[in-house]
Amino acid sequence: MSGLPVNLSDSQIAEFGRQMDRIKYEVTRSLGDDDARYIRRLIKIQRLMLVAGRLMIYASLPFLPMAGLAVGSWVVFASVISLGIVALAVAKILENMEIGHNILHAQWDWMRDPQINSTTWEWDTHCVAEHWKQTHNVVHHTWTNVLGKDHDVGYGFLRVDAAQPWRPRHLIQPFFNVVLMVFFEWLLSMQSWRIEDVAEGRTTLAQMRPTIRTTLRKMLRQGLKDYVLFPLLAGPFFPVVAAANFVATVMRSIWSNMVIFCGHFPTGSYLFTEEQVENETRAEWYMRQMLGSSNFSGGRLMTIISGSLNYQIEHHLFPDMPSNRYPQVAPQVRALAAEYGLPYNTGTLLGQYWKTTAKIWRLALPGQAAPTEIRKQVSKAA
Amino acid sequence: MSLGQKMKWVLDSYFTPLTSSHYIELLNPLWADHQLHAKVVAVIDETKTARTLVLQPGRNWRIHRPGQHIRVGVTINGARHTRTYSLSSAPEAGGGQIAITVKASEGGFVSRHLTTEVKVGDLIPVGLPQGLFVMPEAGPVRPLFVTGGSGITPVMAMLRSLAIRRSAMSIVHIHYARHAWDVIFGQELRAMHRSLPNYRLIEIYTENKRRGIPGISDQPADLHLTRGALTAICPDWQDRESWVCGPTGLNEAALQIWRECQVESRLCIEAFHAKLAPLPGDAKGGVIKLQRSQKEISSDGQSSILQVAEAAGINLPHGCRMGICHGCNATLIAGTVRDLRTGAVRQCSPGETVQICVTAVSGDSEFDV
């Protein structure tokens, strides 16, 4: 019997795994020109949007009353610069989420285009792609929601499940959660530094130095671009452009943090122990991905702007499947979940985010959060 | 760093982690320098199955030497397939345009796509010219060319270049084709034969009755390259610098003949296919560890590392798939490999570069791809 909290026999689990393999195989076999066109077009739109956003920020400057021009008007300035900031933020969000994250998952390697390839892609964020592929693709996607293995369970600080022992530092987690949200890009890029491991003596600072240096070098280049080079083009309005760029990056941080926190933390997502996943089969791995991930609803635009992570369950089942196919496989996955009596954790974005936040607040204090609903659901179906 | 490089560095810093080229590409892909594309400007049908694509390469193009080849990327069903084609145009030809001539081979879905689906205006990813099948810079004085079938393409670039440069005194060209109507560039070659006093073309049709060539019989044996036939057509062949390009049979016959007469140093051969050697029965496989792809796959020791990886669903970068272009180069981290062209186990140490399209593993090995 598997150590998973489901009332299914080994052969039922194996059959569930075969069904998942079938879904994946059917998509892989049918990949073609339309899929390639999707990612190429998106990359093109994203780059044009980035240029448009930056241009609009400069276009707002003549309307600043301090510029001393006849067109000076706070209202016009605020509207134009807001449009620019939003366009820049959306471009950065697209670049990181629907484009970068998915390319780094090797979703588009099948096209054999050396420019759109997981081994060559570098994304527009502080986090170094090579580091991300280790902390995210290898650690998080292999050990999803395994306590003590998956660093994304609370990022080494937050207590997101009652199974994590309470520590006094968790008292400040409602506040730290906000800090993490605003500075998500910066903090995420430090994930590969293994700060707790260094603090607790599992590795040494000297060993982490090359990794830290690579990240700092990239941070410097990123910072130079947004907070020095582009603002310099504005001459005396340097601070305005620097601030606009900062707001755009913070908007991206807040959005990606929200979307990502809805992926595994909402109530109903299951956490696992190392014993439960020992000698795990591929079918059991599928099942764990299903139990440990959660979706939120949304149409085509929401899907693209959230990097298809509103289909987190499908993404975790098939991390290297081109993301534009998730909406197509989702009904099949959901039907299988129903057939096997498994929960399919989904809701609205705000609903899921509220569940996550409420849990983080509750778990700042010792003791249990809401009872895990999953066990009830599974045993009901069985 | 020169001033230009410094300015480029600053400009690119505005676009980090990409470069300015990624945005220039939005205006015109041919102006980009981070990848090289060529635009199809004309399509010319040469024979029933061969087609010439005239291409305008991007600004990063480097002028080729006649005889060289390029890698051409063809996107079919969203996925890119890379093949190598000889350039058939002379570098001196005006407008900076280049041409490749593709013959649709049987079962070759890439060549079929290139000869039927590609249209004027399409953008095709290309590589820079490569290859050592070239003439010396000064140009040969008395060259001999022996070509077979589509092996004419690199030689055509040489002939066109020689015709423009007018530097050679005497050019002899023996071309083998199945039929008279099957000769790629047939009309142009025959026109050159008529108009250029220093160029002599001898066509031999292997599946047709030949048109009486003095000195050789029409026995089937003589319709292929032999020392006797060669001497009859071109008595001073041993004194000439020679370029041979054709099917494996023709290339091997030529090598044999030139070796026998110990004038091998005057011979330059271009092969279109990697000739793989038979492997010993005890060739052992092993586990291939791909470090960067973070995959482990097992190999039978017979198939190339590239093939084994592809069968496992891992698409590794590669080019010609026949050991020419080095587009598939990988660094050996540990283990032993077998060169499939010689069939022998290669004595190489970690850190050496391996062409994974013509190399199999012999025992467990690890690579930096």
Side-chain angles (χ1 to χ4, degrees), chain A residues 14-29:
Chain A
E15 178 55 26
F16 174 80
R18 277 192 290 275
Q19 294 293 329
M20 287 296 168
D21 282 339
R22 179 186 54 80
I23 293 174
K24 177 164 189 207
Y25 173 73
E26 276 170 12
V27 169
T28 308
R29 209 181 39 176

Side-chain angles (χ1 to χ4, degrees), chain B residues 97-344:
Chain B
Q97 292 178 349
I98 54 170
I100 56 167
T101 303
V102 182
K103 186 175 171 172
S105 58
E106 245 168 85
F109 75 117
V110 174
S111 58
R112 188 128 29 87
H113 185 92
L114 273 174
T115 50
T116 55
E117 304 296 325
V118 172
K119 2 175 243 309
V120 171
D122 283 1
L123 277 169
I124 297 178
V126 295
L128 287 173
Q130 288 178 311
L132 298 172
F133 186 71
V134 290
M135 301 185 293
E137 287 289 356
V141 181
R142 300 171 66 78
L144 164 65
F145 299 104
V146 181
T147 53
S150 54
I152 179 67
T153 45
V155 169
M156 197 62 207
M158 295 180 176
L159 292 172
R160 284 170 169 164
S161 176
L162 288 172
I164 294 170
R165 286 154 68 175
R166 297 184 175 278
S167 58
M169 276 168 60
S170 154
I171 305 165
V172 176
H173 179 194
I174 306 170
H175 181 67
Y176 291 89
R178 289 215 175 101
H179 310 277
W181 45 262
D182 208 17
V183 178
I184 302 172
F185 309 121
Q187 292 190 353
E188 187 176 342
L189 289 170
R190 285 162 208 147
M192 279 166 70
H193 177 73
R194 282 192 299 272
S195 62
L196 297 177
N198 64 344
Y199 173 70
R200 184 157 75 95
L201 171 71
I202 300 97
E203 290 178 74
I204 299 174
Y205 310 125
T206 53
E207 288 187 14
N208 256 10
K209 286 291 166 210
R210 53 170 192 88
R211 293 178 280 180
I213 295 168
I216 57 172
S217 72
D218 53 2
Q219 294 305 306
D222 266 358
L223 291 179
H224 293 276
L225 187 66
T226 59
R227 194 166 151 186
L230 183 60
T231 313
I233 298 168
C234 180
D236 64 344
W237 65 272
Q238 292 194 33
D239 301 326
R240 289 174 178 264
E241 282 188 81
S242 306
W243 283 265
V244 174
C245 182
T248 312
L250 178 70
N251 294 343
E252 283 185 347
L255 191 59
Q256 181 96 33
I257 296 166
W258 264 260
R259 263 196 195 143
E260 273 171 20
C261 300
Q262 292 173 349
V263 283
E264 207 185 329
S265 61
R266 291 178 177 271
L267 178 66
C268 189
I269 293 187
E270 177 84 319
F272 274 146
H273 301 280
K275 192 168 169 281
L276 303 183
L279 292 189
D282 60 349
K284 63 172 177 152
V287 175
I288 304 176
K289 219 170 142 184
L290 304 175
Q291 202 190 49
R292 257 187 286 164
S293 315
Q294 291 160 347
K295 295 267 167 62
E296 278 185 36
I297 41 180
S298 67
S299 159
D300 57 359
Q302 307 275 331
S303 326
S304 72
I305 299 160
L306 179 63
Q307 283 173 319
V308 174
E310 284 178 346
I314 309 162
N315 288 315
L316 296 175
H318 65 273
C320 63
R321 307 181 78 93
M322 53 188 178
I324 290 177
C325 73
H326 290 266
C328 66
N329 275 0
T331 307
L332 180 72
I333 295 172
T336 318
V337 295
R338 183 186 295 279
D339 191 324
L340 293 172
R341 291 168 297 189
T342 61

Side-chain angles (χ1 to χ4, degrees), chain A residues 31-33 36 40 44 47-48 50-51 109-115 117 119 122-124 133-134 138 218 221-222 224-225 229-230 232-233, chain B residues 9-10 12-18 22-23 25-26 34-35 75-82 292-295 310 315-318 321 369:
Chain A
L31 291 174
D33 285 331
R40 287 183 204 287
K44 206 169 182 175
R47 289 183 187 164
L48 288 170
L50 186 87
V51 173
D109 281 11
W110 62 273
M111 298 199 305
R112 282 190 227 122
D113 181 336
Q115 298 294 328
N117 190 288
T119 59
E122 187 57 81
W123 52 354
D124 180 23
K133 281 186 276 183
Q134 177 61 29
V138 179
K218 191 170 178 206
R221 291 246 329 139
Q222 291 286 113
L224 184 73
K225 170 179 72 168
L229 289 175
F230 275 112
L232 273 177
L233 295 183
Chain B
W9 186 84
V10 173
D12 283 345
S13 294
Y14 276 96
F15 300 97
T16 185
L18 301 174
H22 290 86
Y23 289 85
E25 187 184 28
L26 297 172
H34 68 284
Q35 60 176 345
T75 303
I76 305 172
N77 279 335
R80 186 181 294 187
H81 303 264
T82 310
R292 257 187 286 164
S293 315
Q294 291 160 347
K295 295 267 167 62
E310 284 178 346
N315 288 315
L316 296 175
H318 65 273
R321 307 181 78 93
V369 282

